[in-house]
Amino acid sequence: RIAAHKEAAKLGYGSRALGLLTEFFDNKFLGENQTELAQYLQISGDNQAGGDIAPKKGLPPLLKPIGELSPTPISYLSVSYGLTTELFRFWSKNGFSPFHIKQTKNDTTGEHSCMMIKPLDANTINYSFIFEDFKRRFVKLLSADFRELELGVSIDIIKPNLNNRESAGTSVPDNAKELLALLFTPLDLKRLEAYCRNSVEHYMIKDLVSTIAELYFLNYFPDEAKLSFSQAVILLAVGLHKRTVDELGD
């Protein structure tokens, strides 16, 4: 948990603390002289091995300079907290990515618990696979357990391909035509074409919006298919949160 005085909030102290912690586990503070540290570990080992309990002389100080400490090798940093838009953006800004959100709310806070991870050794675990699997499950659950999430935090978690963002490097899958034939009939495509020409109202394609939204937010569309932030929020609200146009207007 990171806590800062209310008058020092949003001044960068939390991000700086996380940055220093990351640098510590990356061995960037490791000093060249480890003699005292080795002596301390030897004394600690002797104490745990048993023997007479008596005051000892020449013990090293309880606190030591950080340059004399050797960090335990770890593969990642992880955090768990009650999901809010502000907290998610803080952890995301500091390099953490979500890999699990509890589907039930906390009885006390009414928030979903969110777990995020920051890889320190990308060669040990296939983190990209973990993130993509989480995103796929999250998108499918937005119409159920996560329907009441704020639209802002839902967009932040999914990170869609927006006009103001650099290309995500996605491309149309090789089996795009086969996938399209499975998801949409020729009549479905004609209805979409008619809607694009303003020949029919949105009610005529309402049953197709969820499928289109899922494909878009799971990056099945090429980089050229970008939306503005407002367009992405509307598509997410109607297609994934399953909210009506009237609810979105309110």
Side-chain angles (χ1 to χ4, degrees):
R1 181 181 296 273
I2 298 177
H5 192 278
K6 62 180 181 180
E7 294 183 1
K10 299 182 179 181
L11 294 180
Y13 288 103
S15 296
R16 179 58 176 159
L18 281 174
L20 292 173
L21 181 65
T22 302
E23 291 179 8
F24 171 73
F25 283 108
D26 280 341
N27 294 316
K28 294 183 178 179
F29 294 132
L30 193 60
E32 296 180 358
N33 186 1
Q34 296 292 303
T35 303
E36 292 186 16
L37 176 61
Q39 293 175 348
Y40 172 73
L41 294 176
Q42 180 63 41
I43 293 174
S44 300
D46 294 340
N47 288 340
Q48 295 176 359
D52 297 334
I53 300 177
K56 296 183 180 294
K57 297 181 180 180
L59 291 175
L62 182 62
L63 300 178
K64 301 182 69 66
I66 194 170
E68 298 178 8
L69 299 178
S70 180
T72 302
I74 60 175
S75 298
Y76 58 85
L77 297 175
S78 182
V79 64
S80 177
Y81 60 93
L83 180 61
T84 64
T85 302
E86 184 177 10
L87 284 178
F88 181 85
R89 289 175 178 173
F90 169 79
W91 290 105
S92 181
K93 179 184 67 174
N94 284 283
F96 287 75
S97 299
F99 68 94
H100 176 73
I101 298 178
K102 190 174 182 180
Q103 293 169 227
T104 56
K105 295 181 179 181
N106 183 286
D107 293 334
T108 304
T109 64
E111 299 169 342
H112 295 273
S113 296
C114 177
M115 299 181 69
M116 301 180 72
I117 189 173
K118 181 177 183 178
L120 298 180
D121 182 7
N123 297 322
T124 304
I125 304 175
N126 183 6
Y127 294 99
S128 60
F129 169 78
I130 296 174
F131 299 146
E132 289 303 316
D133 182 69
F134 160 77
K135 182 177 178 180
R136 179 185 60 81
R137 296 183 65 246
F138 178 75
V139 165
K140 291 181 178 296
L141 289 171
L142 278 174
S143 62
D145 300 297
F146 301 137
R147 188 177 186 272
E148 297 181 1
L149 281 180
E150 296 180 10
L151 294 176
V153 74
S154 297
I155 285 286
D156 287 339
I157 292 173
I158 296 176
K159 292 183 178 179
N161 191 21
L162 302 180
N163 285 332
N164 60 346
R165 292 183 179 170
E166 295 182 0
S167 296
T170 58
S171 59
V172 178
D174 295 334
N175 63 338
K177 290 185 178 180
E178 291 80 2
L179 181 62
L180 193 66
L182 288 174
L183 297 176
F184 301 101
T185 68
L187 290 178
D188 292 336
L189 297 179
K190 285 187 176 297
R191 282 191 289 143
L192 284 172
E193 184 179 356
Y195 177 74
C196 292
R197 296 199 308 264
N198 292 324
S199 299
V200 297
E201 295 185 3
H202 71 275
Y203 300 106
M204 289 296 295
I205 62 164
K206 188 176 181 180
D207 58 307
L208 306 177
V209 175
S210 295
T211 304
I212 295 173
E214 187 171 323
L215 291 174
Y216 174 77
F217 288 112
L218 290 179
N219 296 330
Y220 278 94
F221 288 179
D223 283 339
E224 292 77 12
K226 292 185 177 182
L227 299 178
S228 67
F229 180 80
S230 299
Q231 291 170 332
V233 169
I234 294 173
L235 181 61
L236 182 141
V238 177
L240 299 182
H241 275 285
K242 301 295 179 66
R243 301 185 185 181
T244 67
V245 176
D246 293 335
E247 288 177 329
L248 189 58
D250 294 338

